[in-house]
Amino acid sequence: MRLSKVLFPLSLACFCWSCASSDFAAEGSHRAERLHGQPVRRYDALDYDITLKVAPGDSQFHAQVKMEFEITSPVDRIVLDAAGLRIAAVKTSFPSGGWDREGDQLEIYFDDILSAGDRGWVAIKYSATPGRGIYFRLDNPAIRPHVFTQGECNDARYWLPCNDSPSDRASYSLHAIVPVAWTTVSGGIKIDERVFNAAYKIVDWRMEEEMPPYLFTFVAGDFVTIEAAESSTVLSRENIFYVVEEGDSNQARAAFARTPDIIDFISDYTSVDYPFAKYSQVTVRGFPYGAMENSSATTAKRELILGDQELRPSWPTVAHELSHQWFGDLVTCRSWPHAWLNEGFATYFTALYRESRFGRDDFLFHFGNTIDGYLNSCTGANRRAVVKHAYEQPMDLFSDGTIYPGGAARLHLLRGWHGEEAFRKAINIFLSDNRLQSVDSDALKRAFQKAGCVGMEGFFRQWLYSPGYPELKLEWSQSERNLKVAVRQVQPARDPHTSHNAYETGSLWDFRFPLDIRYQVIGGQVEQQRVWITRRQQQFELKLPGRIEWLSFDPDAWLPASLTVDEPVAATMRRLRRSDSMRDRVLALRKLVSRHLGEFAIEDLLSIAEDDSEYLMLRVEVVRAMEKLQRNWLFYRARENPPSEEWLVALPDLLEQEWRKAIGRR
Ligand SMILES: [Zn+2]
């Protein structure tokens, strides 16, 4: 799922999962955080057969579902999540003693105790008023009528009686009775479409692969369908399509244009082909999030496709939701504390696609921002483990800035630590061994172990199950041919905000990790050495072939860590000018700005900003920095003459905008 600026609806109700061991209050927490166990249901849902009717003018929807199940341990009832649904009738394949509502649950009783292995079904006829889980856009005459569902995290139960847990996977059929002119979308493939009566048709969809209910989807309305312009290697173009409002066709073609290429990239990188029979993307009005990775059928807010593709491209969201088809859908987090397996991977594979198509500079620039987002979010009360078991609502785990960028940063660290080949092998094993299963984080650990990576127990304990990240103070100096490097970890030794929880305690200061030091001596080659940090303070001495031109710590941004480098200003300036790491150049620029070194640096900054051969986003950052640094007289002295209008409009759009802002000309 991609969050939008409004992170989640304010009207979240309070759920209570039916687990007896779930009531450990978090002492001292200002939120009502607690541990959440999986509800004990004693059955495995096998298949849902859903029939649903939507009629414009009717403020309710009417539906029925037949759920097939297999009993996993002796039980006298089936318990389903069914929030806000009006139950009209219930039938079962076993003699039944009736049914009852228990809060947001529906309990269906059997006359006899069923045994493990028993198979049967329950069928439920119900109706509901949309508002959560399913949304109607039928009343506004200015909007083409449509309806859509949204399940993650716990909202499938608002439109479908189900075992609403990410750990219980089932296939599903959806039979939609809708006005004849409407287009429908659901998971899997469309089996049939036929006349229901004069005004309505019935459309049959079938998702054969087993999915948890939060990934089920139903969208219908006055839409048009657009086929992709080209096929991907693993999916033909008629099976890649976009469903949008009629007037949005051109924007949709542009916004979704990279879809086949992204499918190919992820299939190739993981050596696991796109797992489903089709991939659709539909845009709707008033979607509560940015976009949602329903299996084989992503739903997104309409605004996704309306922006300027040069300035605000849609492809990162397209890539994020497509990555979820492998990470989240093909393999799903078993419970929400492990949701980083969904979101960390989706964030990181978006970055990997960027690297493969736009190059290392672009990757390091943007992934550096991802790391910064994590470092800035995961502080104070939010300093928490990536795998966090105590929470109030599962959506809280998504919205505090940890699992998306922090999860991606851990994957990047694994790649840097073990190398590209082992990383790709482990990812392939993770997907292959756990295909169509719901897993916890240890499944990823086992995949890396199987790929031959050592030290995984310690890695997961340190980086996934314990809170925080290293805060590093780095110093270096050179005398003759000797380079002296001092590394200190200065993060607090213990975090009062998280130490209350037995799942998440752990020393914060004894991080163990590789630290790359890259440098170039005057007239020499770029060289790199890796040192191992295992203690709070360490010193290293390295032999050099000459005088250092520039030196960069962690130039590939492998570390989810804050780095403060103590060095002369001239060395920072040389990093900005000459380092071969775009991440390092940005960090050097920020350091210069933070020290208000404008007068010293302005000529150098100007030469980078005006250099066509420099990476565009660095030029943009430099102009932004100059805007912060400048006093007007200084700026104009440096430029000698204010830039001409012709000069400005010849620049790329983003750079032109920043220049105009910097020189105060709109
Ligand atoms: Zn996501």
Side-chain angles (χ1 to χ4, degrees), residues 87 92 112 454 470 645 659:
I87 309 297
T92 86
D112 301 311
V454 297
E645 191 65 20
W659 271 107

Side-chain angles (χ1 to χ4, degrees), residues 41-42 71 73-79 95-98 107-115:
R41 290 284 159 84
R42 302 182 196 278
I71 300 297
S73 61
V75 69
D76 66 348
R77 70 193 67 185
I78 288 285
V79 179
S96 171
E107 299 198 347
I108 303 167
Y109 309 109
F110 302 121
D111 288 347
D112 301 311
I113 292 178
L114 303 188
S115 306

